[in-house]
């Protein structure tokens, strides 16, 4: 029997009625003859509420204790979903990240998965149980509870899918797949039927939260196709993220018309440091994946971090300031597409659009599949719409 890994985001399990609906959806899939592993996020805004509580007690709570606290959110939803499935007459068992053998680094609040030893999951599947897993958490080699960074439940799902050689990994949320820009901001954003891993990683790095970057990197390395779909919209086709090699895309890129998308991060920490502090800052930020960075060893550093992905952005900012860095909050806008940063043309054209629009931007950060500018937060929505209108061609 083929193993299917599904993941349901926080908004899909936000209340008991939604949990019941997810339970029925899981059972329907099981009845098609699959072995099912279901990863859940914390209900609704639970993670944010837990963080607020911690910060009310202490401006810089211990990162170890934060992980203890935040890992509870996912445990609540896993147990409730398991109970809802029992209630429908099916056998399910909930397991924490550590019970599933998810071994991580010891970097609290931002741990990376190093190994997955899913023996317990395999045992339970063999017994015919639906296995419900608490996302976003693991255990370090020091046997401490760790969490994987904001949005980390996607990573749990893909890592398990890889370790179990699953047939598919389905990521369900309240949005119907991946769009050419955030549809809440860009009115003309279009649903993308398929994307390469690289494009999706660049979109996530640029700030798109629909799929977690580390999760997509795992999928790429294990060559697992990811299906991003809407939980409650029946018949939603969603988006497939899978290996590149579409003829149509290659042909477009050759004609100098790469497929482009726009992604943005609304709350970005722009970290600047000079002299020796530059090197220290770069080393300190090594565990985070920055939106972009520029570094001249011993001379200067500029690092853009997506504050929405940090468990404690303010604490990190004051730590960096203590090291001699300056930290300001701004926004970032990116153009994504194969080869957009490989030739100067797209950076030049986009830069002239920004100038025409009177936007005060940073110099572009260029990588082969992404161009990123720091822009004022108040210009973000307008710039996202303008760049989408100018550069995102009809598919
Ligand atoms: N509950 C965690 C968060 O809000 C993890 C996740 O949702 O994937 O970031
Ligand atoms: Mg998410």
């Amino acid at each position: 029997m083929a193993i299917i890994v599904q993941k349901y985001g926080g908004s899909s399990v936000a209340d008991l009625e939604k949990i019941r609906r997810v339970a029925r959806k899981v059972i329907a899939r099981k009845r098609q003859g699959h072995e099912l592993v279901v990863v859940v996020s914390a209900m609704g805004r639970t993670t944010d509420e837990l963080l607020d509580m911690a910060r009310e007690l202490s401006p810089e709570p211990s990162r170890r204790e934060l992980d203890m606290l935040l890992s509870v959110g996912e445990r609540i939803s896993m147990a409730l979903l398991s109970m809802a499935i029992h209630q429908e007459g099916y056998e399910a068992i909930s397991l924490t990240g550590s019970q599933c053998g998810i071994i991580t680094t010891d970097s609290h609040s931002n741990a990376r998965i190093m190994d997955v030893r899913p023996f317990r999951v395999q045992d339970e599947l063999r017994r015919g149980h639906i296995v419900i897993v608490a996302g976003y958490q693991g255990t370090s080699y020091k046997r401490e509870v760790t969490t994987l960074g904001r949005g980390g439940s996607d990573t749990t799902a893909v890592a398990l899918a890889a370790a179990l050689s699953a047939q598919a990994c389905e990521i369900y949320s309240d949005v119907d797949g991946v769009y050419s820009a955030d549809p809440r901001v860009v009115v003309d954003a279009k649903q993308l039927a398929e994307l390469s891993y690289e494009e999706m990683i660049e979109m996530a790095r640029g700030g798109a939260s629909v799929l977690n970057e580390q999760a997509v990197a795992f999928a790429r390395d294990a060559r697992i196709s990811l299906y991003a779909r809407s939980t409650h919209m029946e018949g939603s086709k969603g988006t497939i993220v899978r290996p590149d090699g579409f003829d149509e895309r290659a042909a477009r890129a050759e004609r100098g018309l790469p497929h482009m998308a726009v992604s943005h991060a609304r709350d970005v920490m722009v970290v600047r440091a000079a002299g020796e502090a530059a090197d220290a800052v770069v080393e300190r930020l090594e565990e985070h994946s920055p939106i972009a960075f520029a570094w001249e060893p011993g001379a200067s550093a500029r690092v853009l971090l997506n504050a929405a992905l940090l468990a404690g952005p303010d604490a990190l900012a004051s730590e960096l300031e203590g090291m001699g860095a300056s930290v300001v909050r701004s926004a970032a806008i990116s153009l994504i597409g194969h080869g957009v940063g490989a030739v100067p043309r797209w950076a030049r054209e986009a830069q002239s659009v920004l100038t025409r629009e009177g936007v005060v931007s940073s110099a572009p950060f260029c990588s082969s599949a992404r161009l990123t500018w720091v822009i004022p937060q108040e210009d973000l929505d307008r710039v996202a719409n303008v760049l989408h209108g100018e550069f995102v061609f009809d598919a």
Side-chain angles (χ1 to χ4, degrees), residues 53-338:
M53 272 200 275
R55 289 199 195 118
E56 209 172 310
L57 280 176
S58 146
E60 290 181 30
S62 142
R63 288 171 70 185
R64 177 192 184 274
E65 301 306 332
L66 259 186
D67 277 356
M68 280 299 201
L69 179 70
L70 298 186
S71 62
V72 173
E74 272 68 12
R75 292 185 181 211
I76 294 172
S77 19
M78 74 170 186
L80 290 174
L81 179 59
S82 184
M83 291 173 196
I85 292 174
H86 295 164
Q87 194 56 31
E88 299 280 329
Y90 282 77
E91 302 227 56
I93 181 165
S94 65
L95 297 173
T96 65
S98 116
Q99 287 175 307
C100 293
I102 295 179
I103 317 291
T104 72
T105 59
D106 64 349
S107 166
H108 282 292
S109 83
N110 197 34
R112 303 276 136 183
I113 296 178
M114 297 167 70
D115 197 10
V116 181
R117 300 172 193 159
F119 307 118
R120 185 77 202 275
V121 177
Q122 286 160 327
D123 285 348
E124 297 297 342
L125 288 175
R126 238 174 265 130
R127 292 195 183 103
H129 293 165
I130 298 169
V131 180
I132 315 295
V133 175
Y136 174 58
Q137 57 190 271
T139 178
S140 74
Y141 52 87
K142 294 179 182 160
R143 297 191 173 222
E144 292 283 4
V145 171
T146 52
T147 61
L148 305 177
R150 299 304 307 265
S153 297
D154 291 353
T155 314
T156 305
V158 182
L160 274 173
L164 295 165
S165 305
Q167 186 187 65
C169 183
E170 304 168 349
I171 310 279
Y172 289 95
S173 70
D174 57 348
V175 292
D176 182 18
V178 183
Y179 280 68
S180 56
D182 185 338
R184 289 166 299 188
V185 171
V186 175
V187 276
D188 294 332
K190 288 180 285 287
Q191 192 193 50
L192 303 171
E194 53 190 34
L195 244 83
S196 70
Y197 297 121
E198 232 45 59
E199 288 169 314
M200 191 60 235
I201 286 172
E202 293 296 348
M203 284 192 74
R205 262 206 185 191
S209 60
V210 48
L211 286 175
N212 171 288
E213 177 196 332
Q214 201 199 353
V216 184
F218 256 103
R220 174 196 60 201
D221 296 345
R223 306 202 72 72
I224 290 174
S225 298
L226 288 180
Y227 298 81
R229 293 185 186 141
S230 150
T231 311
H232 300 302
M233 228 190 277
E234 281 310 324
S236 130
K237 288 219 312 295
T239 301
I240 309 175
V241 183
R242 63 172 164 206
D244 201 8
F246 322 122
D247 300 343
E248 182 241 354
R249 296 192 160 224
R252 285 186 76 112
E254 261 177 31
R255 294 203 311 274
L257 294 172
H259 257 279
M260 286 201 220
V262 170
S263 78
H264 72 259
R266 194 169 292 280
D267 184 7
V268 172
M269 284 179 21
V270 183
V271 185
R272 283 196 187 81
E276 273 170 28
D279 299 0
V281 162
V282 167
E283 191 182 342
R284 169 63 185 87
L285 295 179
E286 217 164 66
E287 71 183 68
H288 299 283
S289 56
I291 296 174
F293 75 99
W295 177 38
E296 231 183 281
S300 68
R302 207 156 46 114
V303 186
L304 312 185
L305 293 174
N306 186 349
L309 297 180
L310 300 167
D314 296 331
L316 181 61
S318 40
E319 188 190 330
L320 291 165
E321 281 163 353
M323 294 166 69
S326 80
V327 181
V328 294
R329 299 294 255 270
S330 205
I333 189 85
S334 299
L335 267 182
I336 319 291
H338 280 294

